[in-house]
Amino acid sequence: MKQVPEQLTKPFNAVDIESRIYKNWEESGYFNPDNLIHATKEPFTIILPPPNVTGTLHTGHAIMLAIQDTLIRYKRMNGHKTLWLPGTDHAAIATQSVVEKKIQKEEGKSRHDIGREEMLYRINEFARSSQDTILSQFRSMGASLDWSRLAFTLDDTRNYAVRTMFKKMYDDGLIYRGERIVNWDPKGQTTISDDETVTEERKGILYTFKYSHDFPIPISSTRPETKVGDVAVAVHPDDERYKEYIGKTYECVFVGCPISIQIIGDTAVEKEFGTGALGVTPAHSAIDWDIKERHNLPSKQVINEYAKMYGLANEELNGKKVTDARDYIVSKLREEGLLIEEKEVIQSIPTAERTGGVIEPLPKLQWFIAVNKPFAHFGKETTLKELMYRAVEGKSTTIIPDRFEKVYFNWIENLKDWCISRQIWYGHRIPVWYRDSEVYVGVTAPEGEGWAQDDDTLDTWFSSGMWTFSTLGWPNNTDDMKLFHPTSLLETGHDIIFFWVARMVLFSMYTFNQPPFKHVYLHGLVRDAQGRKMSKSIGNVLDPRDLSFKYGTDALRMSLLVGNGAGNDLKLGEDKVKAYKLFANKIWNATRFVLEKTNDFENTAITLTEEDDATYTAWRERHSDITNDIEHYRLHLASEKIYDYFWKTFCDEIIETRKVRIMEHNQKESAQKLLLLLLREQIITLHPFMPFITEEIWTYIKEDNDPLLLVTHW
RNA sequence: GGGCGAUUAGCUCAGUUGGUAGAGCAGCGCAUUUACACUGCGAAGGUCAGAGGUUCGAAUCCUCUAUUGCCCACCA
C-alpha cells in the first residue's frame, strides 16, 4: 500500500514550486549540451533573439520564450544534443538615450559635458545592472537556456568578431566610405538606416512659385526653404512646354540669395506632377542627389545638423529653424508676387523611430556595405544581394509561414547600400584609423604615432547580424562552431524580418556560404482581447509577470501557445490564462485521484484487457499526432490536442469508467495499470508545454531510477 | 502606388494534404454524502462575408466584389 504524497493532498499552488524546480534544473547541468552525454541524435540549436539590456519582460518576450522553450524541451527529450544560447543586446541608440536622459534629468548634463570615456563607463554600468533584471525574468518563464554560454552583443568576444568581419569585408571591397544623402536625425544627432525610420502622414502645403521674376519656369515644393540650395531645374526631356529651355543656365536671386540654375532634362521627372518641373536640391533630397550624380551638377548644403539654415547670403535666414525659414520664405514670395499657388496636400514625412525627430536628409561621409557590387565568393562571382536571395530561394532556409518568403524577396529587391556608421558613442567603434590623408583599416590599431580612430560606431544590426556565429566563438574555429552552426531554427516576431533575419542571412552566406539557420519561424504580435495593440496609453498592457504570479507560469505559457499559429497575431485576454490555470488544477487533481485509486497496485506484469488495450492504442495514436504537429512547428495544434485529450478523454471518460471498475473489482488491475500508464505518458507529453507542474508531479510518479523529467525520453 | 493577410456560433478564435462544421468564454436546463464547484452531464446556437467557377464532394482550390488590418515606396 503506497501512500499518496502529502503535497498532492493540498491544492496546487504554482508559485510554491516554480523557483525550486528551476533551481533543480539549472543545477542538474542539463541546459548545457556538453552534459547531455546520452544524446545520440544530431544537434538542435536555437540562438535566442537577444533582448535589449534595458528592457523588462513583456508579452512579446513571453511568447518567444514559450515557443522556443517548448521546442527545445521536446528536442532534448528526443535525444538531440540541444543548445539554446542566451544573450543580451546593447541596443545602441536605445540604451545610450536612456542613460543620456537619466543624466540630463538627475545632473542636468549632456553627454558632451560628461565626455566619451566617462559616458561609456556609465552606460556599461547601467547595461550590466539592467541585464540581471531581464535575465532573471527569462528564468522565471522556465526557459531552459544554457547560461554557461551567455553572450552580450558588445562584449570582447563579439567585438573581436565584429572587427574581424569589418576588415574582411573591407578587404573584399564590400565596405566603403562615401558621401551620400543619409537619414539624419537632428534630435538624436545621428544617422539612421532606412529601416529605422517611420513615415508619418501629415498635412502640408505644396507651394508653386518662381525663384524670381526673370526665371521662366515655376516649380512646386512642400519645402521652399531647401530651394535656396537649388542648382538646377529638371524637366522631362519630352515635355513640350519646357523643351526649349534645356541646357540654358539662369543666374537669379531667390529671397536675397544668388543662385545659379541650370535647366536639365531627366526622365525621372513626371510631367503631370505640379508644374512638371523639379527644383533640384542635391544636398537635401535623395532623389535630387541622384540627379546631381547623373548630370554632374554641384551641390550646396544650406541646412546643418541641427536642422537650421546656414551659409546663405541673406543673413536673415541664417540660424533659422527650417520651419521658420519656410514661413519667412513664403511670406517673401508672397510680397514679391512670386507665389503662384498654395495647395493643401497629405505628405508622408520620415521620422526617426527612436526619437520621433523629423528626418533631415543630408549629405554625409559615411561607411556603407555595398549590396550590389560583384565580388569573388567561394570561387564564384556574386553580390551580397544575390547571396541573400539565393539562401531562401534555394530553400536552404525556409520561412514559416511561407508567405513571408515573398515579403523577404520583395525587400531584398529594393535593397540599397546599407549605411552602417552611427554618430553615437555606445556601440562597436569603427575599426578604422586616420593619419592626415592615410586611412588604416584593421582588427587592431596601427603601429606608430598620430593615428586617430574613427569617432563613429557601427549600426547595432551589424553586430546582431553576426549573432548566430559570433555567439559560438567565431572567428576562432571552436568546437561549438563545428557542432552548432548553421543553427536549426530562428524563432522571432515577423516585424523583425528585415532588420535582423535578412542581415543574419547576409553575414552567414558571405562568411560560410551557408545560411545561419535551417528554418525561420515567425510568430505574431500580441494584442489585447479586442485585438488592439497593447499600449500604455490605452492601459491594456498585460504584464506577463503579473499573469505568471496570479495563474502560474505553466498556465501563461499554454495561453500563449494554444491557437497561436505561425505568422498570425495573438489576442490575449486574462480569461484565457485563467482557463489554463484551471487546467493545471485538473492535472493536479487527476494525478492525486489516480494515485489514490492505484495505491494497492502491484502486479506490474499483468496484461491489459482488450478494451483497455484499445484505449491505450488510441492514446498512442493521439501521441504520434501530437509529435507530428511539433515536428512541423504546429505548437498551436499540439498544445490544444494534449489539453483536449487530458481533460475530455482521460479525465471525463477514461477515469470515470475505470474508477467504477476499480471499485467493483471488475478487472481492476488492468484498469489500474492503464491509468498509471496513461498518466505517466501524458505527464511526459505535457512537459515541454507546462514544464513546472509536470516536473513536480514526476517526482511523485517516477520510478526510482528515472532521471529528471527534463531529460526523460519522449 | 505596390505587396501580404483577415472575414467561421452572441464574443474571441481553431480547422494540418478538399471528405458529415469545432473549442474557450457568455447564456440555458439538469446533477451534488463528489478526485476536482477551480466540477460533471445535456441541449441550444453557424446558408463558414457575397457572387460565380473547378470537383462525385469546397470553410478549404480558382476568379471577381465588399469590408477590414498590416508592411513597403524618394512623387518634388
Side-chain angles (χ1 to χ4, degrees):
Chain A
M1 213 54 148
K2 280 176 272 182
Q3 281 296 316
V4 173
E6 201 205 325
Q7 296 93 318
L8 263 180
T9 61
K10 298 175 196 155
F12 176 61
N13 187 340
V15 177
D16 289 350
I17 62 165
E18 288 181 2
S19 58
R20 185 185 80 235
I21 286 178
Y22 194 86
K23 202 165 154 244
N24 285 349
W25 287 332
E26 227 180 325
E27 284 169 0
S28 78
Y30 291 131
F31 291 174
N32 183 341
D34 300 339
N35 297 327
L36 296 172
I37 46 175
H38 299 296
T40 51
K41 293 188 191 162
E42 75 275 11
F44 183 85
T45 314
I46 301 177
I47 310 290
L48 179 81
N52 291 358
V53 271
T54 57
T56 51
L57 187 76
H58 55 64
T59 45
H61 293 134
I63 277 203
M64 164 181 98
L65 294 170
I67 293 172
Q68 293 177 29
D69 191 51
T70 300
L71 288 166
I72 282 287
R73 283 176 187 271
Y74 166 80
K75 291 287 180 181
R76 192 186 290 116
M77 292 170 85
N78 259 291
H80 292 269
K81 209 171 183 65
T82 312
L83 171 63
W84 190 19
L85 194 151
T88 50
D89 187 358
H90 68 282
I93 295 180
T95 309
Q96 175 166 328
S97 63
V98 167
V99 177
E100 272 184 74
K101 269 182 205 154
K102 208 175 145 210
I103 291 173
Q104 188 70 50
K105 198 177 160 195
E106 290 168 8
E107 304 169 37
K109 289 179 179 170
S110 77
R111 75 191 210 215
H112 299 284
D113 299 330
I114 302 263
R116 185 165 188 148
E117 201 180 333
E118 169 69 10
M119 190 68 199
L120 285 180
Y121 176 78
R122 299 252 201 129
I123 300 170
N124 258 326
E125 283 301 294
F126 178 78
R128 193 173 310 165
S129 64
S130 193
Q131 161 162 313
D132 296 341
T133 308
I134 189 96
L135 294 182
S136 75
Q137 289 170 347
F138 276 25
R139 282 182 168 87
S140 77
M141 283 294 295
S144 55
L145 287 152
D146 178 9
W147 299 107
S148 73
R149 286 175 167 85
L150 180 69
F152 179 52
T153 49
L154 201 56
D155 60 20
D156 291 344
T157 316
R158 262 46 68 177
N159 184 243
Y160 178 61
V162 163
R163 281 179 280 136
T164 305
M165 180 64 79
F166 191 98
K167 166 83 171 137
K168 184 173 153 62
M169 293 184 98
Y170 180 82
D171 290 345
D172 273 341
L174 296 173
I175 287 183
Y176 67 94
R177 198 179 190 212
E179 189 169 45
R180 292 290 172 79
I181 295 291
V182 296
N183 302 305
W184 178 263
D185 172 12
K187 258 196 184 170
Q189 285 293 303
T190 182
T191 311
I192 58 175
S193 71
D194 293 345
D195 298 301
E196 288 164 310
T197 64
V198 279
T199 46
E200 268 181 33
E201 300 253 300
R202 288 191 194 175
K203 266 191 202 164
I205 297 170
L206 182 65
Y207 300 96
T208 300
F209 58 93
K210 281 188 185 178
Y211 297 117
S212 61
H213 287 289
D214 49 5
F215 191 79
I217 307 173
I219 56 160
S220 298
S221 175
T222 52
R223 299 196 59 189
E225 75 279 11
T226 64
K227 300 285 116 184
V228 288
D230 280 14
V231 297
V233 164
V235 297
H236 196 279
D238 301 336
D239 198 324
E240 293 300 331
R241 292 172 292 179
Y242 308 123
K243 233 175 175 172
E244 55 174 306
Y245 301 109
I246 294 176
K248 293 185 179 162
T249 301
Y250 293 80
E251 304 296 332
C252 40
V253 178
F254 173 51
V255 289
C257 307
I259 52 174
S260 174
I261 302 292
Q262 209 182 111
I263 314 291
I264 55 169
D266 196 295
T267 50
V269 180
E270 281 182 39
K271 287 187 253 183
E272 282 70 34
F273 188 90
T275 61
L278 166 66
V280 182
T281 325
H284 301 292
S285 153
I287 187 170
D288 294 7
W289 181 271
D290 293 344
I291 294 174
K292 176 212 92 157
E293 296 281 290
R294 282 199 289 276
H295 297 269
N296 232 339
L297 300 168
S299 161
K300 181 171 166 51
Q301 188 175 338
V302 295
I303 298 169
N304 67 15
E305 282 74 5
Y306 300 95
K308 288 181 177 163
M309 311 300 292
Y310 83 109
L312 295 164
N314 180 348
E315 278 301 334
E316 281 193 59
L317 272 171
N318 288 335
K320 270 197 166 55
K321 286 198 292 187
V322 287
T323 44
D324 295 340
R326 186 177 310 161
D327 296 342
Y328 172 87
I329 289 173
V330 169
S331 70
K332 282 281 173 203
L333 288 171
R334 201 173 283 135
E335 274 171 32
E336 295 173 27
L338 290 164
L339 189 60
I340 299 162
E341 196 190 359
E342 292 176 65
K343 195 174 143 196
E344 231 178 54
V345 290
I346 302 290
Q347 50 180 170
S348 308
I349 299 194
T351 61
E353 190 176 39
R354 195 62 70 180
T355 64
V358 174
I359 298 300
E360 198 60 60
L362 291 182
K364 287 220 155 273
L365 195 54
Q366 299 287 328
W367 288 96
F368 293 88
I369 289 182
V371 294
N372 287 311
K373 188 181 172 190
F375 69 106
H377 181 255
F378 291 85
K380 275 171 89 177
E381 182 161 281
T382 185
T383 65
L384 291 174
K385 191 182 270 193
E386 264 174 46
L387 287 175
M388 292 164 90
Y389 199 89
R390 208 173 71 204
V392 174
E393 193 209 28
K395 297 283 175 194
S396 43
T397 286
T398 59
I399 302 179
I400 306 163
D402 58 7
R403 62 185 155 90
F404 279 97
E405 290 180 4
K406 284 184 199 164
V407 179
Y408 175 88
F409 290 138
N410 190 272
W411 182 79
I412 302 271
E413 277 158 23
N414 295 319
L415 191 62
K416 290 177 292 184
D417 284 1
W418 171 19
C419 176
I420 52 171
S421 42
R422 297 290 180 274
Q423 290 67 48
I424 56 169
W425 290 344
Y426 191 54
H428 293 282
R429 197 156 171 185
I430 291 180
V432 176
W433 287 260
Y434 308 98
R435 183 168 67 183
D436 301 323
S437 59
E438 288 178 279
V439 175
Y440 177 89
V441 176
V443 175
T444 51
E447 303 279 323
E449 296 289 304
W451 289 99
Q453 189 172 2
D454 197 303
D455 276 331
D456 289 356
T457 53
L458 286 164
D459 180 5
T460 180
W461 298 105
F462 189 98
S463 53
S464 309
M466 300 166 58
W467 194 237
T468 58
F469 51 91
S470 68
T471 50
L472 296 173
W474 187 86
N476 296 318
N477 190 20
T478 59
D479 290 344
D480 276 5
M481 272 307 290
K482 286 178 228 158
L483 208 51
F484 299 115
H485 205 271
T487 65
S488 311
L489 178 74
L490 177 82
E491 197 284 330
T492 188
H494 66 68
D495 52 332
I496 211 168
I497 181 165
F498 308 129
F499 284 109
W500 197 38
V501 177
R503 264 128 198 192
M504 285 195 284
V505 174
L506 183 155
F507 282 114
S508 180
M509 287 299 287
Y510 167 68
T511 312
F512 311 108
N513 203 23
Q514 273 185 326
F517 22 69
K518 296 188 191 84
H519 305 289
V520 178
Y521 181 100
L522 299 168
H523 64 249
L525 276 48
V526 192
R527 294 167 177 283
D528 74 2
Q530 281 88 49
R532 298 172 304 182
K533 268 188 184 161
M534 290 193 179
S535 82
K536 280 179 191 158
S537 56
I538 304 179
N540 59 350
V541 178
L542 286 176
D543 186 335
R545 290 168 297 170
D546 294 344
L547 294 171
S548 170
F549 185 75
K550 210 164 158 189
Y551 303 109
T553 302
D554 291 326
L556 175 60
R557 288 171 58 126
M558 278 298 274
S559 72
L560 296 171
L561 291 172
V562 177
N564 185 12
N568 294 330
D569 290 351
L570 176 73
K571 295 192 178 77
L572 182 68
E574 203 166 325
D575 279 352
K576 188 174 179 188
V577 188
K578 197 174 164 189
Y580 293 102
K581 176 189 157 63
L582 301 189
F583 182 49
N585 274 310
K586 193 74 180 175
I587 297 170
W588 189 257
N589 290 325
T591 301
R592 174 172 63 238
F593 189 63
V594 168
L595 293 186
E596 276 169 13
K597 294 294 166 193
T598 58
N599 63 354
D600 59 345
F601 178 71
E602 271 155 10
N603 187 3
T604 49
I606 190 153
T607 50
L608 294 177
T609 64
E610 207 170 298
E611 184 205 358
D612 289 344
D613 191 58
T615 302
Y616 180 70
T617 304
W619 153 248
R620 290 309 303 173
E621 276 166 22
R622 174 67 69 104
H623 180 265
S624 68
D625 200 19
I626 291 168
T627 304
N628 190 38
D629 280 336
I630 302 176
E631 286 289 343
H632 292 90
Y633 300 109
R634 295 188 294 253
L635 298 185
H636 62 302
L637 299 184
S639 53
E640 195 171 7
K641 281 174 186 168
I642 183 63
Y643 168 86
D644 179 73
Y645 184 88
F646 192 94
W647 200 315
K648 295 286 141 63
T649 305
F650 184 61
C651 292
D652 293 350
E653 291 172 24
I654 300 172
I655 292 183
E656 289 301 319
T657 51
R658 270 47 171 208
K659 79 178 178 192
V660 177
R661 271 174 43 197
I662 290 168
M663 283 188 295
E664 293 173 352
H665 292 269
N666 171 15
Q667 295 178 306
K668 176 181 169 184
E669 288 185 314
S670 170
Q672 288 180 317
K673 182 171 181 173
L674 178 72
L675 291 185
L676 284 169
L677 200 57
L678 287 180
L679 178 66
R680 182 186 160 97
E681 293 193 10
Q682 286 180 100
I683 291 298
I684 294 171
T685 309
L686 276 162
H687 179 72
F689 305 98
M690 305 180 76
F692 289 108
I693 188 173
T694 50
E695 188 73 74
E696 177 69 7
I697 287 174
W698 188 246
T699 61
Y700 308 132
I701 65 171
K702 74 187 188 83
E703 303 294 328
D704 289 342
N705 44 9
D706 278 334
L708 281 172
L709 184 52
L710 178 71
V711 286
T712 295
H713 196 264
W714 174 258

